[in-house]
């Protein structure tokens, strides 16, 4: 009697799904470009919304036939108003961070809670002492970077766009700008630079070189906020190196977020002092 033919069981759907990808150098750089492109896009949307509002208001008040000159003047006045510029900055940065987080989570879900690169390190730090270290290191890089920037600038002021907006906005918007600078921006930038980008570089080079490369890109990416003053780059690179080291030392992204938040909090405190001087 013939033995029954063994029919292989069909593969389960899960076994046919390829393993999730990991970020590479180009995809990491793509995330960085996406983040700043989103900021530009949100800024344009805010500007268009303000323009439509101003034109409609001017046309409603003066009549459609005579609205054009007044509409142009109203748009210019509104766009240059400090509170409008500060509101635009808050919406732009917060919107870019939220969308970037959602997209990174969508593209690389398997790397989200992996402690070390190519994971993004969204896990608890191995030691509670990593957070005080992050705070102390954040204070140290502000002092070192500030001294280096002052030395390279030969005493010239190094204005920062967000700081200028902070000084001219009203109290409520100052609080919102402070929250964005201390909480929202570090969350977004650490996921981008010390999450996706650092993981991509570490697939192709040793950790030390990957940290340095990420820090240089981090510094250059922030040049527009410092009005392209080249002497801001070295201090920004020092901050980037400290953030990369903290990310790898703690086997978690959160201490790097705390270090970044500490650095920005000191800057916000300095803005408060200047405003109330």
């Amino acid at each position: 009697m013939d033995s029954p033919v063994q029919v292989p069981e069909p593969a389960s759907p899960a076994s046919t799904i390829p393993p999730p990808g990991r970020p590479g150098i180009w995809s990491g750089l793509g995330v960085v470009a996406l983040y700043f492109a989103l900021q530009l896009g949100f800024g344009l949307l805010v500007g268009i919304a303000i323009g439509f509002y101003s034109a409609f208001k001017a046309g409603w008040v003066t009549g459609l036939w005579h609205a054009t000159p007044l509409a142009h003047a109203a748009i210019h006045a509104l766009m240059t108003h400090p509170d409008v510029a500060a509101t635009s900055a808050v919406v732009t940065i917060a919107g870019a961070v939220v969308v970037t987080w959602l997209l990174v989570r969508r593209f690389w879900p398997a790397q989200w809670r992996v402690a070390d690169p190519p994971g993004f390190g969204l896990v608890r730090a191995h030691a509670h002492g990593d957070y005080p270290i992050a705070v102390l290191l954040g204070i140290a890089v502000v002092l070192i970077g500030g001294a280096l920037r002052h030395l390279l600038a030969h005493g010239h002021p190094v204005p920062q766009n967000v700081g200028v907006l902070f000084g001219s906005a009203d109290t409520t918007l100052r609080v919102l700008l402070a929250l964005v600078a201390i909480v929202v921006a570090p969350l977004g930038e650490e996921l981008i630079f010390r999450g996706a980008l650092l993981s991509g570089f570490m697939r192709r080079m040793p950790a030390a070189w990957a940290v340095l490369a990420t820090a240089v890109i981090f510094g250059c990416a922030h040049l527009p906020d410092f009005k392209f003053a080249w002497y801001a780059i070295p201090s920004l690179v020092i901050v980037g190196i400290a953030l990369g080291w903290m990310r790898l030392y703690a086997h978690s992204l959160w201490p790097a977020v705390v270090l970044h938040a500490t650095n920005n909090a000191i800057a916000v405190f300095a803005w408060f002092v200047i405003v109330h001087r």
Side-chain angles (χ1 to χ4, degrees):
M1 184 176 180
D2 295 336
S3 60
V5 177
Q6 297 291 329
V7 179
E9 295 182 2
S12 64
S15 64
T16 62
I17 299 175
R22 298 182 297 175
I25 292 178
W26 289 111
S27 54
L29 290 172
V31 172
V32 175
L34 173 67
Y35 173 67
F36 289 101
L38 284 169
Q39 287 193 16
L40 178 62
F42 275 106
L44 289 174
L45 288 176
V46 172
I48 291 171
I50 291 171
F52 273 116
Y53 169 79
S54 301
F56 176 80
K57 183 177 180 180
W60 181 267
V61 172
T62 63
L64 294 177
W65 292 107
H66 306 285
T68 302
L70 291 178
H72 289 166
I75 292 171
H76 177 74
L78 196 58
M79 289 296 294
T80 56
H81 194 281
D83 289 349
V84 173
T87 302
S88 178
V90 169
V91 173
T92 295
I93 297 173
V97 169
V98 170
V99 174
T100 303
W101 265 68
L102 292 174
L103 290 176
V104 172
R105 174 69 171 174
R106 172 68 178 83
F107 291 149
W108 297 295
Q111 311 304 328
W112 198 252
R113 295 185 62 81
V114 178
D116 295 315
F120 297 155
L122 291 163
V123 296
R124 185 181 302 174
H126 285 191
H128 294 299
D130 292 338
Y131 296 103
I133 292 174
V135 173
L136 293 175
L137 190 56
I139 297 171
V141 295
V142 168
L143 298 175
I144 296 171
L148 179 60
R149 189 184 308 163
H150 180 76
L151 178 65
L152 294 175
H154 299 290
H156 292 92
V158 187
Q160 188 174 1
N161 289 338
V162 178
V164 173
L165 290 176
F166 187 90
S168 56
D170 67 18
T171 303
T172 301
L173 286 171
R174 286 174 188 164
V175 172
L176 289 176
L177 281 171
L179 289 174
V180 166
I182 297 172
V183 179
V184 179
L187 286 171
E189 293 184 6
E190 289 314 300
L191 179 64
I192 295 164
F193 289 101
R194 260 60 61 176
L197 187 60
L198 181 61
S199 296
F201 273 112
M202 285 186 65
R203 293 183 64 181
R204 294 289 183 266
M205 60 184 68
W209 287 108
V211 168
L212 178 60
T214 306
V216 171
I217 295 171
F218 174 80
C220 293
H222 284 79
L223 266 182
D225 192 38
F226 288 88
K227 301 185 183 299
F228 293 94
W230 67 268
Y231 33 79
I233 291 181
S235 61
L236 291 168
V237 171
I238 289 173
V239 175
I241 291 172
L243 290 165
W245 177 85
M246 194 74 243
R247 158 75 181 97
L248 299 179
Y249 174 80
H251 305 281
S252 170
L253 190 68
W254 296 119
V257 172
V258 171
L259 193 160
H260 197 149
T262 301
N263 181 86
N264 288 7
I266 295 173
V268 170
F269 176 76
W271 299 340
F272 267 111
V273 172
I274 292 172
V275 167
H276 292 92
R277 181 178 295 176

